[in-house]
Amino acid sequence: MPDDPQKLDNIEQLEADDVAPRRAVVRRGSTFESFHFRDFSLFWAGAFISNTGSWMQNYALAIVVYSLRHSELDSGLVNFVSGIPVLFLALPAGALADKIDKRRLLIASQFVLLLQASALAVLYSTGHLSSANALPSLLWIGGLGLLGGVMSALTFPAWQSLLPDLVPRANLLNAIALNSAQFQSARLLGPLVAAGMVLVGAGMGEIFWVNAGSFLFVIAALWAIKPHPSHAVDTTGVPRAVVVAPGAVASTTPVRPTPREGSWRTLTAGLRYARENPFIAYLVGSTAVMTIFGMPYMMLLPAYADKVLSGGASETAYLMAANGLGAVVGALVVASLPAHVRRERLIPATLVAFAALLIAFSLSRWLWLSLPISALAGACVLTINSLTNTSIQANVPGQLRGRVMALFIMAFMGIMPVSSLIFGPLGKLIGPDRAILSGAVVLLAWGAYLMGRPGLLDPPEATS
């Protein structure tokens, strides 16, 4: 342990005793190489089944909420209530993920979410969620949504930071992309399965029950896996380096954190790291801009299908499914990117493409045109999300991974309810299509700004 107080302060500031390589680890093998590892395969399969059930529930809830009073405002409020816990709990959840057994935390949270889905099923099946009791129904849905939001908020960083314990570092970027493909495949399949159930006569209550059962699979998978924290250790031969302070000389010797630190420093370590590394700050900031101004189109889909396309539940399902299909393709493309491709340099162009697609989507009045646009938009969202995720994880010290990923989760999930609170009322005031258009214009301006200053998304060593 160093005796110099300045060194101790620097070490404490980054808390890094095992640091990720400063550049992306070279990807070896095929697009599906991470499936060679048992724990990752179990984790992937369990999460895929559970996420499929969750997207079935999201589809059903969107229709149930909108059918109560045919109000975009209701949709925005429900999304706000269920998503706002991420904004406030992501930082403590990141610290929690770095300090306790991630697997046990995830198992406990999945059991609570199983109970939440079961409660929705019982309420709907007994007639407590209906337009005849619109306000009490919204209160029930909002309360259960808040519970689900708290559980999800406490575990999002754990989900993200568990991946490096399931595969060797050389396969990490591939595993992240495949995990994104899993999530997006569930987005594609969930609404399709739910719509199919509706077509054969099933009700929304049955969909909620299917989601409740899906949690059993992910609980079983989490119970069966045996994470190996040693995977986080760099075995690629790349020197481990850490920038301990602005202007300081990087050291190739792993350092150890001080044994004790205050709760506030533990909680805000990820924020300090992002503040001292503009590359990370711009990645997180770009994710936040995309979430606020680009993602509302998903929340507004039921209203868009109803008021712009003059459709209903089936059109909403088709649009969500097309979006999920495009996202799956985007995930597989990212998983297949050669190692020499500068992933972070692709983000600005993809943001611009996403904004342009949203503008076209807002102007479309035909389902046959909106479907391919929705698919391409889904590919853009997944590409941006996956590229940002991998760029952050490959450039963050292992001991800070949970807390820095908490910032990414806040930007992608935590700010989403704020976006819903803005664009739900805006959609009711000016129409869902114009609301989507207004957000897309802002997103386009941000993407153009990043394209004009490409150095903002260069990792530190790329500009040194």
Side-chain angles (χ1 to χ4, degrees):
M1 182 70 66
D3 296 324
D4 186 340
Q6 179 62 43
K7 290 182 179 178
L8 285 173
D9 184 64
N10 290 337
I11 292 168
E12 180 186 16
Q13 190 171 3
L14 288 183
E15 303 178 86
D17 69 342
D18 185 15
V19 184
R22 300 300 296 169
R23 292 297 297 148
V25 178
V26 175
R27 188 180 65 83
R28 295 192 278 267
S30 69
T31 300
F32 304 100
E33 61 189 21
S34 294
F35 287 130
H36 293 138
F37 303 99
R38 169 189 174 274
D39 286 342
F40 177 81
S41 297
L42 288 172
F43 175 85
W44 192 98
F48 172 69
I49 295 173
S50 178
N51 282 327
T52 299
S54 296
W55 279 105
M56 292 173 64
Q57 178 168 296
N58 289 345
Y59 164 84
L61 265 182
I63 293 173
V64 169
V65 170
Y66 187 71
S67 68
L68 294 177
R69 299 193 300 185
H70 295 273
S71 170
E72 296 92 334
L73 180 60
D74 289 346
S75 299
L77 287 174
V78 168
N79 277 278
F80 176 81
V81 170
S82 61
I84 196 62
V86 178
L87 186 60
F88 294 102
L89 296 178
L91 285 180
L96 195 65
D98 284 336
K99 300 297 182 182
I100 71 171
D101 187 327
K102 301 179 186 67
R103 189 173 66 99
R104 292 184 179 181
L105 172 64
L106 293 173
I107 289 173
S109 70
Q110 298 309 292
F111 183 73
V112 174
L113 290 173
L114 184 157
L115 296 178
Q116 182 235 28
S118 299
L120 283 171
V122 170
L123 287 168
Y124 189 87
S125 300
T126 55
H128 287 83
L129 304 181
S130 67
S131 57
N133 303 291
L135 190 57
S137 296
L138 287 171
L139 291 175
W140 273 115
I141 293 171
L144 290 171
L146 180 63
L147 173 64
V150 169
M151 288 297 102
S152 297
L154 289 175
T155 55
F156 276 139
W159 282 114
Q160 295 291 330
S161 57
L162 182 63
L163 283 174
D165 296 342
L166 303 180
V167 298
R169 278 204 65 78
N171 303 92
L172 176 58
L173 302 188
N174 177 260
I176 292 171
L178 287 178
N179 192 52
S180 296
Q182 167 266 122
F183 183 79
Q184 301 303 333
S185 297
R187 277 185 62 198
L188 167 66
L189 186 60
L192 285 178
V193 173
M197 290 179 62
V198 172
L199 289 175
V200 297
M204 300 302 169
E206 284 79 6
I207 294 175
F208 296 145
W209 279 122
V210 170
N211 180 43
S214 73
F215 286 106
L216 296 174
F217 290 88
V218 71
I219 290 172
L222 289 167
W223 193 271
I225 65 174
K226 298 177 180 178
H228 300 282
S230 59
H231 279 164
V233 178
D234 176 27
T235 59
T236 64
V238 180
R240 290 172 288 182
V242 55
V243 180
V244 294
V249 177
S251 169
T252 58
T253 303
V255 293
R256 298 197 174 275
T258 53
R260 297 175 183 233
E261 66 171 358
S263 299
W264 181 250
R265 291 188 68 82
T266 298
L267 192 65
T268 59
L271 284 170
R272 295 199 306 275
Y273 186 83
R275 182 185 63 196
E276 295 164 9
N277 293 269
F279 166 67
I280 299 295
Y282 272 102
L283 286 174
V284 173
S286 295
T287 302
V289 173
M290 180 188 74
T291 299
I292 294 173
F293 298 103
M295 294 306 294
Y297 87 102
M298 287 297 295
M299 181 266 296
L300 291 168
L301 273 185
Y304 174 86
D306 177 28
K307 297 184 176 180
V308 178
L309 299 182
S310 300
S314 59
E315 282 76 9
T316 301
Y318 295 147
L319 289 169
M320 291 180 69
N323 187 270
L325 176 61
V328 172
V329 174
L332 295 178
V333 169
V334 172
S336 304
L337 285 176
H340 67 271
V341 172
R342 295 284 298 278
R343 287 163 169 77
E344 61 277 354
R345 285 292 182 91
L346 298 177
I347 294 173
T350 313
L351 281 169
V352 169
F354 180 41
L357 286 166
L358 289 183
I359 292 172
F361 188 81
S362 70
L363 298 175
S364 171
R365 297 296 182 268
W366 304 280
L367 179 63
W368 62 265
L369 179 58
S370 298
L371 286 173
I373 296 175
S374 183
L376 292 172
C380 286
V381 170
L382 187 284
T383 300
I384 296 164
N385 184 283
S386 188
L387 291 174
T388 304
N389 190 327
T390 55
S391 296
I392 291 175
Q393 295 230 39
N395 286 276
V396 170
Q399 290 296 99
L400 284 176
R401 186 178 294 115
R403 277 160 284 187
V404 176
M405 287 308 297
L407 299 180
F408 170 72
I409 290 163
M410 285 178 67
F412 185 59
M413 302 292 295
I415 299 178
M416 201 170 290
V418 177
S419 176
S420 297
L421 197 62
I422 295 171
F423 280 86
L426 185 63
K428 186 174 182 62
L429 180 65
I430 66 175
D433 52 340
R434 292 188 179 93
I436 293 170
L437 177 63
S438 62
V441 171
V442 177
L443 183 63
L444 181 64
W446 176 253
Y449 171 73
L450 291 179
M451 289 189 71
R453 301 187 64 185
L456 294 177
L457 292 182
D458 281 341
E461 71 284 351
T463 58
S464 60

